[in-house]
Amino acid sequence: MMDLRNIVRVGIVSDVSVSRGEVRVLNPDQDNKVTGWLPVVVPRHLKNNAAALPAINETVVYVSLGSGLEAGYCLGVFHEGAAQ
């Protein structure tokens, strides 16, 4: 059985692809390993055509699919101070 800590993770955005709506996330607790490109979940993207992607160095929460860091979804950014 998979440990929930390996599915729901917190990391720091290391790269952003605005054209694809994806980010890569650095994992300080995993020897600074970086995820594959993760699609960012955004509200109402099709109706308003404005997607606010996380910026480099912002702390995000994401879900990892499978056993590694290759696939998943970025769920969003923590407000400053929320992760402390």
Side-chain angles (χ1 to χ4, degrees):
M1 178 185 287
M2 290 191 88
D3 188 342
L4 188 59
R5 290 172 293 190
N6 292 328
I7 298 171
V8 179
R9 306 191 59 84
V10 174
I12 301 166
V13 175
S14 63
D15 203 358
V16 177
S17 172
V18 174
S19 64
R20 294 192 325 231
E22 297 177 334
V23 296
R24 296 184 78 195
V25 180
L26 176 89
N27 292 275
D29 66 335
Q30 294 282 316
D31 296 325
N32 290 327
K33 291 180 183 174
V34 178
T35 67
W37 286 101
L38 305 177
V40 178
V41 176
V42 294
R44 297 179 38 206
H45 182 263
L46 293 176
K47 289 187 177 184
N48 64 16
N49 292 323
L53 297 177
I56 291 175
N57 292 324
E58 283 193 294
T59 302
V60 293
V61 63
Y62 70 95
V63 293
S64 181
L65 305 176
S67 60
L69 300 174
E70 303 304 317
Y73 294 93
C74 178
L75 301 179
V77 177
F78 279 106
H79 290 288
E80 189 170 328
Q84 298 178 8

